[in-house]
């Protein structure tokens, strides 16, 4: 006896599902039409956005509600200004791709501009500080003995080696104490950042039992000034540094006696605390 062939449903979705989908689409279109013809009450919209602001802090410049920002101005509809507000918070325009925006930032040199701005501010600050120190140096009758210069990083007081030391020695002269005492007062009054003491020599070789080279001599002279300031002033020792630079950074021609005299020096740098 032949087996009965089982009935199989037709392929595709059931008929009721297609009808149901059509109904949902019609309802969606209906509500979209209703929404497009409706108006938004500004008071309720402000309450909604203010609530979001308190929760997520989405507004800038300290605004606590939407009425303080760009969306409401002179009674203008919020929806008319909405795209302007979104663009101001960083949304890209239709004609601008993320790649274009990235390239714009890379080519703008914002980092270089920021560095230049900071350097200009520091330069101006150090210029003002150098003027104050120059006045103090003049009042202390040290203008002929101390040169004051500045850069964006520091203000520098420079003293000749002959003023502080005998030739080939790192022991301070007694007559240099008066000068260093006045320098200490200036540093206490005006130095807010790191203070660095550098010793420098000329290029004439030195060889003795105490100083095998100019490196050791310059280091010893910087250390002598460092010890004097720490022992005779109220400066914070943690802000003082010392270094010997030897003959490596000349400021004049070592082929002349005058140039070598200028190169034998001690520099005190007051670094900008920023």
């Amino acid at each position: 006896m032949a087996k009965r062939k089982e009935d199989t449903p037709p392929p595709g979705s059931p008929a009721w599902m297609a009808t149901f989908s059509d109904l949902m689409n019609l309802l969606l279109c209906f509500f979209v039409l209703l929404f497009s013809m409706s108006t938004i009450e500004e008071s309720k919209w402000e309450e909604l956005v203010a609530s979001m602001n308190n929760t997520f802090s989405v507004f800038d410049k300290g605004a606590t509600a939407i009425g303080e920002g760009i969306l409401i101005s002179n009674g203008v509809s919020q929806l008319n200004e909405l795209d302007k507000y979104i663009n101001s918070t960083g949304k890209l325009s239709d004609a601008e791709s993320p790649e274009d925006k990235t390239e714009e930032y890379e080519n703008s040199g914002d980092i270089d501009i920021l560095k230049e701005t900071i350097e200009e501010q520091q330069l101006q600050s150090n210029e003002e500080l150098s003027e104050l120190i120059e006045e103090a140096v003049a009042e202390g009758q040290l203008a002929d003995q101390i040169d004051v210069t500045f850069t964006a990083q520091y203000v520098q007081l420079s003293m000749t080696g002959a003023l502080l030391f005998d030739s080939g020695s790192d022991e301070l002269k007694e007559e240099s104490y008066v000068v260093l005492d006045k320098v200490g007062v200036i540093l206490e009054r005006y130095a807010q950042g790191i203070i660095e003491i550098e010793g420098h020599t000329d290029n004439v070789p030195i060889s003795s039992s105490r100083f095998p080279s100019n490196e050791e001599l310059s280091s010893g002279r910087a250390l002598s000034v460092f010890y004097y300031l720490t022992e005779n002033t109220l400066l914070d020792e943690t802000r003082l540094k010392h270094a010997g630079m030897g003959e490596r950074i000349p400021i004049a021609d070592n082929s002349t006696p005058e140039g070598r005299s200028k190169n034998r020096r001690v520099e005190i740098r007051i670094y900008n605390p920023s």
Side-chain angles (χ1 to χ4, degrees):
M1 181 177 180
K3 292 182 179 180
R4 179 181 175 183
K5 186 177 181 181
E6 297 180 358
D7 295 331
T8 58
S13 302
W16 67 269
M17 186 175 294
T19 303
F20 183 81
S21 299
D22 291 341
L23 177 61
M24 292 299 102
N25 288 332
L26 291 173
L27 288 174
L28 176 61
C29 293
F30 175 74
F31 284 112
V32 168
L33 288 173
L34 289 178
F35 180 80
S36 65
M37 293 183 291
S38 65
T39 58
I40 299 177
E41 296 184 11
E42 292 184 356
S43 60
K44 292 183 178 180
W45 177 258
E46 291 179 9
E47 292 177 1
L48 171 62
V49 179
S51 176
M52 293 179 63
N53 173 56
N54 293 333
T55 304
F56 300 106
S57 300
V58 295
F59 295 102
D60 58 357
K61 299 181 180 178
T64 57
I66 195 170
E68 299 176 36
I70 193 173
L71 291 186
I72 296 180
S73 177
N74 299 325
V76 179
S77 170
Q78 300 168 33
L79 293 180
N80 292 338
E81 293 295 313
L82 182 58
D83 190 63
K84 179 179 179 181
Y85 177 79
I86 293 175
N87 281 327
S88 70
T89 57
K91 182 180 77 65
L92 299 177
S93 63
D94 294 338
E96 192 174 29
S97 66
E99 290 78 8
D100 295 336
K101 197 68 174 178
T102 301
E103 184 177 355
E104 176 184 342
Y105 284 130
E106 290 176 351
N107 295 334
S108 63
D110 289 341
I111 296 179
D112 293 336
I113 294 174
L114 178 60
K115 289 181 179 179
E116 291 177 2
T117 302
I118 294 175
E119 186 172 351
E120 289 176 359
Q121 293 175 349
Q122 291 181 337
L123 187 64
Q124 181 179 358
S125 174
N126 286 346
E127 182 178 7
E128 296 172 356
L129 177 60
S130 70
E131 292 175 355
L132 294 175
I133 293 178
E134 283 181 341
E135 292 178 1
V137 167
E139 291 175 359
Q141 298 180 348
L142 300 175
D144 295 336
Q145 299 168 306
I146 298 178
D147 292 329
V148 181
T149 56
F150 67 92
T151 68
Q153 286 73 41
Y154 55 80
V155 176
Q156 177 175 283
L157 288 75
S158 182
M159 298 169 283
T160 62
L163 172 67
L164 305 175
F165 307 98
D166 290 325
S167 177
S169 173
D170 66 340
E171 185 177 350
L172 289 169
K173 296 180 180 179
E174 289 188 7
E175 53 265 34
S176 69
Y177 296 165
V178 176
V179 176
L180 290 177
D181 287 339
K182 293 180 180 180
V183 169
V185 172
I186 294 174
L187 295 176
E188 288 176 344
R189 183 182 303 173
Y190 296 111
Q192 302 298 324
I194 296 296
I195 301 172
E196 185 173 25
I197 305 165
E198 287 188 355
H200 299 264
T201 67
D202 56 26
N203 67 344
V204 177
I206 183 175
S207 180
S208 65
S209 58
R210 180 170 174 78
F211 303 113
S213 69
N214 284 325
E215 292 292 330
E216 283 78 5
L217 176 60
S218 63
S219 296
R221 289 182 170 182
L223 192 58
S224 294
V225 176
F226 169 83
Y227 282 144
Y228 188 89
L229 292 177
T230 56
E231 293 171 1
N232 296 277
T233 68
L234 300 177
L235 293 171
D236 184 0
E237 294 183 12
T238 61
R239 295 196 294 113
L240 268 68
K241 301 192 301 182
H242 57 87
M245 307 305 293
E247 61 191 64
R248 288 172 284 155
I249 310 178
I251 59 173
D253 186 3
N254 274 312
S255 63
T256 64
E258 295 79 7
R260 290 193 294 270
S261 177
K262 291 181 179 179
N263 289 332
R264 296 190 296 268
R265 67 197 188 277
V266 172
E267 296 175 345
I268 300 178
R269 294 178 176 177
I270 305 171
Y271 282 88
N272 193 307
S274 60

